[in-house]
Amino acid sequence: MAGKRGRSAVTGRFVKQSTVKRHPKTTTNETTGKRSKKK
């Protein structure tokens, strides 16, 4: 499940993408990708 997540730099909590657009200085986007399982 690849995608982007917004995270608040102040609280560390995940936020919506609309919040990231409104507060670019205090939020960041994290890119998430598929995790591979090692056997």
Side-chain angles (χ1 to χ4, degrees):
M1 191 165 119
K4 286 189 178 181
R5 289 181 170 178
R7 188 184 288 268
S8 170
V10 178
T11 63
R13 294 186 178 190
F14 291 110
V15 295
K16 296 179 182 179
Q17 287 297 313
S18 58
T19 307
V20 175
K21 289 180 182 178
R22 279 185 282 131
H23 305 284
K25 291 184 180 179
T26 59
T27 54
T28 182
N29 270 319
E30 293 182 352
T31 304
T32 57
K34 291 183 180 180
R35 292 186 177 189
S36 59
K37 293 183 180 179
K38 293 185 179 179
K39 293 184 179 180

